[in-house]
Amino acid sequence: MSDKKIIFLDVDGTLINYEAIMPKSAGEAVDLARKNGHKVYICTGCSKAEIAQRKLCELDGMIGGNGAYVEDNGTVVMHQGLSKEEVKHIVDWCNARKLGFYLEANSGMYCNDYMLTQGPEVMQKYALGKGADLENAKKGADAFVNGFIHLPTEELYRDDINKVSFILSSYQDHIDSKIEFPELIANTWGGKDEQALFGDLSPKGITKKHAIDVLLKYLGRSAEDTIAFGDAKIDISMFELCNYSVAMGNAGQETKEAADYITTDVDDNGLWNAFKALKLI
């Protein structure tokens, strides 16, 4: 076991808050840890284009699309997305149900007509549920939707997509997506206490856990040297592989129960406090 650790950080609710702002102490914690010789990667559901819109600190690389994409210092280690046929099936299914969606690619986030009308309200609900005030929730929702590239349906049939997120008109949409797309992984994400606001669809075999394993093999490092930080159920697969796991104070109960350590909230110096407790800084 090395005394130099490999740290994996979820982004929303972990490295940044739910208004997409990185606390100053979080950036300082990452900078100091890297100066001390530790490697720090983000491990997120976001794709590269979405991360490019965030103001983050310097990192050693990223895992994106909940494990579809792995990058180390600018080198692509793995990229495994949806086929064009799978994307067409999802696009047509969502449009038939009048559901807003966006396709997550490293080149951009591409959306349909319904996302432009439904997206601001749902993203505002997401931010409010995570503790943002109304003004900041509105700003964040508008910025998020303004980051989409709106395309006509035929141009949404793409072959460079990591995963697809779609608005749930009700939880039944998620249940139906599991039946409609048995060959894919169907998840939900959203507001307070894991409330389901969105469904998402990604290739089978793609998890944060699998992506970390791929990166460790590439780096020639052991899982014994890893620490994972997260706030949501999707992060539990990281906890299963990594030697030590930290749940944020704002995490859901299931995530806290799966972690070795619980730190304070993301906006209450959560990362800084955990990095200090673990002697990373």
Side-chain angles (χ1 to χ4, degrees):
M1 186 187 292
S2 169
D3 61 342
K4 302 303 181 189
K5 302 302 178 189
I6 307 175
I7 301 158
F8 295 98
L9 304 176
D10 171 55
V11 175
D12 294 271
T14 302
L15 179 59
I16 64 175
N17 65 21
Y18 299 110
E19 296 166 38
I21 296 164
M22 184 179 69
K24 187 166 179 279
S25 65
E28 289 172 350
V30 171
D31 290 345
L32 275 174
R34 294 181 73 234
K35 278 180 187 168
N36 288 341
H38 306 294
K39 286 182 174 288
V40 184
Y41 296 83
I42 53 172
C43 191
T44 174
C46 302
S47 292
K48 195 167 183 181
E50 197 171 344
I51 289 301
Q53 296 176 4
R54 312 286 174 84
K55 292 187 174 81
L56 303 183
C57 48
E58 290 292 315
L59 296 152
D60 291 291
M62 73 171 287
I63 290 169
N66 283 333
Y69 178 76
V70 181
E71 181 183 294
D72 173 59
N73 285 307
T75 299
V76 179
V77 177
M78 181 184 79
H79 190 189
Q80 185 176 335
L82 296 161
S83 70
K84 189 172 184 177
E85 292 72 25
E86 288 167 338
V87 172
K88 182 180 187 301
H89 186 184
I90 296 167
V91 167
D92 291 346
W93 182 81
C94 287
N95 277 335
R97 296 172 81 101
K98 298 183 167 54
L99 301 175
F101 67 81
Y102 61 100
L103 312 178
E104 302 178 38
N106 290 341
S107 57
M109 296 185 293
Y110 305 96
C111 78
N112 66 343
D113 298 349
Y114 297 118
M115 192 68 201
L116 297 180
T117 55
Q118 299 167 8
E121 181 185 349
V122 177
M123 287 310 300
Q124 187 176 309
K125 192 184 292 185
Y126 169 79
L128 288 171
K130 297 293 191 178
D133 62 44
L134 184 60
E135 184 184 352
N136 284 323
K138 283 181 177 174
K139 276 186 195 168
D142 289 344
F144 186 70
V145 175
N146 288 340
F148 293 139
I149 300 163
H150 175 236
L151 294 177
T153 296
E154 60 273 12
E155 291 180 36
L156 291 168
Y157 302 151
R158 301 177 63 93
D159 61 3
D160 62 345
I161 304 304
N162 297 327
K163 69 184 179 82
V164 181
S165 286
F166 60 93
I167 291 171
L168 299 172
S169 64
S170 75
Y171 196 75
Q172 189 63 44
D173 291 323
H174 167 60
I175 294 168
D176 291 349
S177 75
K178 292 170 83 168
I179 297 165
E180 183 74 17
F181 304 99
E183 77 285 5
L184 303 178
I185 293 176
N187 286 309
T188 63
W189 60 276
K192 189 176 182 182
D193 298 327
E194 310 281 2
Q195 178 191 4
L197 296 175
F198 283 86
D200 68 36
L201 293 161
S202 57
K204 273 224 166 103
I206 294 298
T207 63
K208 291 187 176 187
K209 179 179 180 178
H210 173 254
I212 290 173
D213 189 48
V214 168
L215 179 59
L216 291 176
K217 285 184 170 72
Y218 172 80
L219 295 172
R221 296 289 298 274
S222 163
E224 285 186 338
D225 300 328
T226 58
I227 306 172
F229 290 73
D231 73 308
K233 279 194 285 191
I234 196 84
D235 299 319
I236 293 173
S237 80
M238 286 200 291
F239 294 0
E240 290 168 356
L241 178 68
C242 292
N243 187 49
Y244 198 80
S245 55
V246 179
M248 305 303 289
N250 45 275
Q253 189 57 34
E254 195 176 333
T255 310
K256 287 178 176 176
E257 288 171 1
D260 296 307
Y261 181 82
I262 301 169
T263 186
T264 49
D265 285 17
V266 60
D267 277 322
D268 188 20
N269 302 317
L271 272 195
W272 176 272
N273 291 336
F275 276 39
K276 283 285 281 184
L278 297 175
K279 298 183 168 53
L280 298 168
I281 56 177

